[in-house]
Amino acid sequence: MARQTSPRHCPSTESLLQCADIALQAAKYQGRNVVLTYSEELHKQHHAISELESQLRSAIENNELKLFLQPIVDLETGKIVKCEALARWITPEGKFISPEVFIPLAEKSELIFPFGEWLINEACDAIEALKASNLDIRLAINISGRQVSDLALLNQIKNALEDHQLPGSNLSIELTESVFVESLDTVSVLLNELRAMGITVSIDDFGTGFSSLVYLKKLPIDELKIDRSFVSELEKNTDDQAIVQAILGLASNLNIKIIAEGIETQQQQQFLQNHRCAYGQGYLYQRPVAIPEFITLAQKLK
């Protein structure tokens, strides 16, 4: 819902409607039940978003996005057991566009669908590169809630694996908890199909969203990823320590593995090891890097 305030010197009915449309589109971008008043500043913001969306569409079509990998390690052995694929966008002019900017932009437009298809195929290419280097490492990709609501995603994954002649056991799907709020039935169908293909399922950013025990009981879930916000102050925050221990205890009883995100210090790692957390991910081990650099690192730690 948008409310438009007429510019004082609006020259025509047509320009008035254009202003109203700008307020409407900006309101839709921000979510449901939003009321916005037209202003020149809003016009500038809308133009900037539209321009960036156009650039992102071009980047996807021209394969300008790149895939970086970040290791997930076994906290007991230090070996890389898995990696997460993360999209990076550097424009032809050399400007870095943060994924915190372009991923939400894609999700709020129709670009999330071609972006998702690009990600799945690039992930399969990355798995092939790992296999060619004798690295048996499962690769995880993040799936948007909007993709989950469209079961065409399942066919995209099946087709990509078949085209690359890869088993599903090489792939892991990560979903955020918010996906389950509105799409529990759809997600259930999707996850069971994925699991039947050998693909594992992880819940990303666990503890920050829906956090209902219902889906842990009803859905086929292999791993939970403890959000970095609970890990960043583990050394000194007793509340975070209690939350992490509770999640670890719950997961152990449900036979679900835990990955702790955002590990940056030896003290955080030690706390997680002491409480039998299986896997860790974070800058302590490696920042996201291009695929050749990741392969070099993984071969050293093999």
Side-chain angles (χ1 to χ4, degrees):
M1 177 171 58
R3 183 179 66 212
Q4 188 270 337
T5 298
S6 171
R8 290 184 179 181
H9 305 292
C10 204
S12 66
T13 302
E14 182 180 354
S15 62
L16 178 63
L17 291 174
Q18 288 176 346
C19 292
D21 185 61
I22 288 170
L24 175 63
Q25 295 305 318
K28 285 181 177 179
Y29 181 82
Q30 292 188 20
R32 298 179 179 179
N33 300 318
V34 175
V35 176
L36 288 180
T37 299
Y38 175 85
S39 67
E40 288 300 323
E41 183 61 29
L42 183 69
H43 195 159
K44 291 177 182 178
Q45 292 174 3
H46 177 72
H47 178 76
I49 290 172
S50 297
E51 182 65 24
L52 188 60
E53 185 178 321
S54 176
Q55 292 174 9
L56 178 57
R57 180 178 288 105
S58 177
I60 295 171
E61 292 173 352
N62 297 324
N63 201 29
E64 293 174 5
L65 303 178
K66 302 298 179 185
L67 208 62
F68 277 37
L69 304 181
Q70 186 175 32
I72 297 170
V73 305
D74 184 313
L75 291 181
E76 186 173 339
T77 66
K79 292 183 178 180
I80 298 175
V81 294
K82 189 176 177 179
C83 63
E84 181 177 0
L86 300 161
R88 294 293 182 262
W89 181 14
I90 300 175
T91 68
E93 296 76 31
K95 182 181 179 181
F96 174 78
I97 309 294
S98 170
E100 295 181 359
V101 172
F102 74 82
I103 297 296
L105 179 65
E107 289 179 335
K108 291 176 180 179
S109 68
E110 295 304 307
L111 291 179
I112 192 59
F113 301 108
F115 171 77
E117 189 167 9
W118 170 86
L119 178 61
I120 291 165
N121 282 289
E122 286 294 307
C124 288
D125 286 345
I127 292 170
E128 287 185 334
L130 293 172
K131 283 181 168 293
S133 301
N134 296 315
L135 294 170
D136 184 21
I137 298 173
R138 192 186 291 264
L139 185 144
I141 58 174
N142 288 275
I143 297 298
S144 160
R146 290 192 65 194
Q147 291 172 276
V148 169
S149 63
D150 180 1
L151 289 178
L153 169 70
L154 188 61
N155 289 327
Q156 289 178 354
I157 294 174
K158 285 181 178 179
N159 292 338
L161 290 173
E162 289 175 1
D163 290 345
H164 290 78
Q165 297 184 327
L166 295 171
S169 57
N170 288 130
L171 190 63
S172 181
I173 299 297
E174 295 186 359
L175 304 168
T176 58
E177 293 176 284
S178 59
V179 170
F180 306 119
V181 176
E182 298 178 358
S183 311
L184 189 59
D185 291 339
T186 303
V187 171
S188 180
V189 172
L190 175 67
L191 298 194
N192 279 294
E193 291 281 352
L194 293 174
R195 287 284 297 275
M197 295 164 59
I199 297 171
T200 59
V201 177
S202 301
I203 304 304
D204 200 12
D205 302 334
F206 184 75
T208 62
F210 189 38
S211 296
S212 171
L213 301 185
V214 172
Y215 67 74
L216 294 184
K217 176 182 176 182
K218 290 186 175 181
L219 298 177
I221 294 168
D222 300 288
E223 299 166 337
L224 299 178
K225 299 187 77 174
I226 300 177
D227 186 69
R228 65 184 66 250
S229 62
F230 299 121
V231 176
S232 62
E233 297 183 0
L234 263 184
E235 303 98 319
K236 56 185 178 181
N237 190 312
T238 55
D239 289 340
D240 286 345
Q241 291 173 6
I243 290 170
V244 168
Q245 289 181 68
I247 294 173
L248 288 168
L250 173 65
S252 177
N253 289 332
L254 293 174
N255 197 31
I256 297 175
K257 297 290 187 182
I258 289 288
I259 301 171
E261 296 183 287
I263 301 175
E264 297 187 2
T265 68
Q266 293 288 347
Q267 292 89 342
Q268 292 166 359
Q269 176 183 257
Q270 191 61 55
F271 179 92
L272 293 161
Q273 284 179 303
N274 291 344
H275 293 87
R276 299 185 178 181
C277 180
Y279 307 124
Q281 178 180 358
Y283 290 174
L284 180 63
Y285 313 108
Q286 180 66 60
R287 292 174 177 267
V289 293
I291 294 171
E293 188 176 344
F294 177 86
I295 288 173
T296 299
L297 170 70
Q299 287 176 329
K300 289 180 180 178
L301 297 177
K302 190 174 179 182

